[in-house]
Amino acid sequence: MKVTPNANRSILWNLVTGPVVLGLNLILVPISIYVAGASDYGVWALCFGAASLLGQADLGLGTSVVRQLAAWRAQREVEREGYAKTVAMGLFLCLGITLSLTMIPAMNLYFSGRHVSDELELRWFLIPAAASLLLMILSRYSISVIQSYGWFYPERILAILGIVVRGCILLTGLVTGAGIGFVIVADISAVVVLVFGSALYMYYSGIGPEFNIIFAARSGVTRPLLQFGVPTFLSSISSLVALQAPLFFVGWSAGYADAAVYSAITRIFMSARMSFGWVTGPSLPEISAAAHVSDHRGIARKNVRSVLILCAVVSCLVAPCLVAGDELLGAWLGAEFSEFGPVLAIVSIAIFLYALYAPGVVFATALGHPGVVAVQNVLLCGLTVVLCVFLVPDHGAEGAAIASLLGIGILFPVNQVSLKKITGFPWLTTTFLCVLYLSLLSLLVWISGLILDDLSAPTVVKILIFGAECAACGMITARYLVPRFGGKVCLRRP
């Protein structure tokens, strides 16, 4: 199986914009905490985190729309494709309204009997969060339609533009000495840019729905969308709950200030998770359209290269966090938060394992096996929640990080073995190479740290040098070594 030029361009775009989005988010998080205050930001992080979590709870319609539209287009069922766009729009709208109205009483129950903020009442946190949830759901519709054509770069551009707008508002709040209100407006503005930008792109590209509501409802496309979407939804929402549930346990047990710090670290995980999808996502329409073709070797080769590229990229983040987590966190959020360095190191290992796990989810889903992924993610969710119940009350944020890592670590071999059955993915060899690469890069960062400590180099200089050497290694590996040797090393011919 060959990767189309369009998919290659999308992957290139994503490799460039992914680190940019992650970097901008890292810059804006400490500004948000400073403008709002740690406690108030912790409350907003919980409310907006719930909205972000439910914003992904689209009944799996996002992935289903991408897959089904691509498949029907490849089969030249143009009328069915048009009806599906209209039906999907109605489903997304109903779902967004329902989830937004459900979120407000649910979060009221979470905060019941607890002091929230001296500046704002709880409703001024919940109403904007619910509004942003509705916008997130609507943006997922238009983004899914766009991505079904293999066009992934519009979302990246809009994401960067949204972060820039958010940054401008936060800087204004920083200069004027504003409080939590500016942070709320800033976060919602990024969502507004995404929803309206994607809708305008879809409209001017001529790929929007046809609004034949009656005929669309009778076309029979609803069942295929939901039939494929339900297991995909269970997979997606379970995965996200596994990532976000520890935050809510920290907020309940350790307080809002600790929740603010853990939310900042979780944002790294969520940004990385989004970037993983950007690298593997461009292959989804292509694999879905050719799912009936038996080419396990080609699919396995694509899977191997996706994992190795993600490993090269994500190790640039993970290695410094493992070696110098205390210093990095102190320089990022402030010296008073450097004690959370072990939390950052533990979460970074979980990010690394998730990078090895993520491509297989996309490939298995595209090949028509969403149920396999769904079962594993439901188990991951349940295991993480149970671990949080036992670990967070006594160990706080560190216990939450351990729960996340153990959940992913325990189910990782199960996921890889099932993926091998579906695609022929050689997971043992690939995982060994990835762990070896991370170990060597971490050793390089550690040696550099020792030399810089002897030279009494300031923390900023150390961070710049760590970033430069990791970026250089990552670029060389992803650009030259993986394309040339990745498939040959991991795939033996029978």
Side-chain angles (χ1 to χ4, degrees), residues 2-11 286:
K2 296 181 179 180
V3 183
T4 63
N6 195 37
N8 272 328
R9 284 195 297 270
S10 296
I11 293 172
E286 178 185 336

Side-chain angles (χ1 to χ4, degrees), residues 219-492:
S219 62
V221 300
T222 305
R223 184 175 180 181
L225 288 174
L226 292 178
Q227 194 171 28
F228 185 87
V230 168
T232 307
F233 157 71
L234 290 174
S235 174
S236 177
I237 192 63
S238 298
S239 174
L240 285 162
V241 169
L243 295 181
Q244 291 278 26
L247 169 62
F248 292 93
F249 278 96
V250 171
W252 184 261
S253 300
Y256 300 140
D258 283 12
V261 180
Y262 194 81
S263 170
I265 296 174
T266 303
R267 275 203 182 230
I268 301 176
F269 203 154
M270 297 300 291
S271 297
R273 181 182 183 275
M274 180 174 62
S275 300
F276 300 161
W278 289 1
V279 173
T280 56
S283 300
L284 179 58
E286 178 185 336
I287 298 174
S288 299
H292 60 283
V293 179
S294 179
D295 183 14
H296 288 287
R297 182 171 296 278
I299 293 172
R301 184 176 290 109
K302 285 170 65 65
N303 198 348
V304 167
R305 290 183 176 177
S306 295
V307 170
L308 293 179
I309 289 174
L310 279 181
C311 169
V313 174
V314 80
S315 294
C316 298
L317 170 68
V318 174
C321 291
L322 288 176
V323 175
D326 294 350
E327 290 183 81
L328 293 177
L329 203 58
W332 179 34
L333 298 180
E336 66 271 24
F337 297 115
S338 59
E339 63 183 271
F340 289 88
V343 177
L344 179 62
I346 295 169
V347 170
S348 68
I349 299 175
I351 293 174
F352 179 77
L353 286 180
Y354 200 89
L356 307 188
Y357 164 94
V361 173
V362 174
F363 281 77
T365 301
L367 291 172
H369 298 277
V372 174
V373 179
V375 171
Q376 293 170 7
N377 281 341
V378 169
L379 291 175
L380 171 63
C381 175
L383 182 59
T384 303
V385 170
V386 170
L387 289 169
C388 282
V389 170
F390 288 99
L391 293 175
V392 175
D394 293 331
H395 303 284
E398 191 168 336
I402 294 172
S404 295
L405 175 59
L406 286 178
I408 295 175
I410 291 172
L411 288 177
F412 178 77
V414 178
N415 166 268
Q416 298 297 285
V417 169
S418 62
L419 182 62
K420 183 177 182 180
K421 293 180 180 178
I422 296 173
T423 67
F425 174 62
W427 72 278
L428 281 173
T429 307
T430 308
T431 302
F432 172 77
L433 289 176
C434 292
V435 172
L436 178 63
Y437 178 81
L438 175 62
S439 301
L440 293 175
L441 190 59
S442 300
L443 179 63
L444 175 62
V445 172
W446 180 69
I447 294 173
S448 301
L450 292 178
I451 296 173
L452 293 171
D453 285 339
D454 289 339
L455 297 175
S456 300
T459 303
V460 175
V461 174
K462 293 174 69 173
I463 292 175
L464 291 175
I465 292 177
F466 290 163
E469 60 189 9
C470 287
C473 292
M475 289 176 61
I476 292 172
T477 303
R479 179 66 180 85
Y480 297 105
L481 298 183
V482 172
R484 178 168 294 185
F485 302 111
K488 295 180 181 178
V489 172
C490 294
L491 294 174
R492 299 178 181 177

Side-chain angles (χ1 to χ4, degrees), residues 188-212:
I188 293 179
S189 66
V191 182
V192 170
V193 169
L194 182 62
V195 65
F196 284 102
S198 57
L200 288 173
Y201 185 91
M202 185 173 62
Y203 174 77
Y204 285 109
S205 299
I207 60 173
E210 300 176 358
F211 298 104
N212 296 322

